[in-house]
Amino acid sequence: MDWKEYEEITKYVYETLGNAAGTKIVGHGRTCKVEGKSGVSHQIDILTSHSDGVHNYRTAIECKYWDKKINKDIVMKVAEIIEDSEPIKAWLYLKWDLLKMRFLLLSIKMLALLN
């Protein structure tokens, strides 16, 4: 597996689980960009949207499929993008989250078989 597949799996999980919750994939990949208050365009791995009936929310999902530790510079970069691109929430998925995603994928497949 490489980073592109990791992003696709993350997108698939959000897409599949999000259908029931009203979460939609707005964009993903290299072409997914949001413009910040500063006028700078930021690339986001996966951008979702959902509503609670009163407010609309966007969530930026940043995927890091790296063998090395994620240092604070990466976390700070994501935080700065989110601050510039309000109102956006953020999730940072790391390679070690893959085990959880594999479990979610298995759960989704099992639910599909039961329905």
Side-chain angles (χ1 to χ4, degrees):
M1 176 179 294
D2 62 12
W3 64 269
K4 285 182 186 176
E5 291 173 297
Y6 187 58
E7 279 184 18
E8 285 297 322
I9 288 172
T10 305
K11 177 185 146 296
Y12 176 76
V13 167
Y14 268 84
E15 209 166 40
T16 304
L17 295 177
N19 282 337
T23 299
K24 295 182 177 26
I25 303 294
V26 176
H28 74 283
R30 293 189 182 271
T31 59
C32 181
K33 298 186 189 267
V34 294
E35 186 170 334
K37 295 178 283 189
S38 66
V40 173
S41 181
H42 303 286
Q43 189 274 327
I44 304 290
D45 291 340
I46 303 165
L47 184 64
T48 67
S49 68
H50 71 281
S51 175
D52 61 9
V54 177
H55 300 96
N56 295 317
Y57 300 95
R58 295 188 304 163
T59 301
I61 302 164
E62 195 65 23
C63 304
K64 298 297 177 205
Y65 190 75
W66 295 351
D67 288 325
K68 61 184 178 182
K69 287 184 177 182
I70 304 297
N71 64 34
K72 71 175 181 172
D73 294 338
I74 296 299
V75 175
M76 293 302 293
K77 178 183 171 194
V78 172
E80 290 295 322
I81 290 171
I82 299 313
E83 185 176 323
D84 188 41
S85 305
E86 287 184 277
I88 288 186
K89 298 179 179 187
W91 291 100
L92 181 61
Y93 282 97
L94 310 175
K95 185 176 181 178
W96 52 267
D97 289 323
L98 186 58
L99 182 59
K100 291 182 232 175
M101 282 203 209
R102 286 185 177 152
F103 176 76
L104 281 172
L105 285 171
L106 179 60
S107 299
I108 290 168
K109 289 178 182 179
M110 290 177 71
L111 284 172
L113 289 173
L114 293 173
N115 291 328

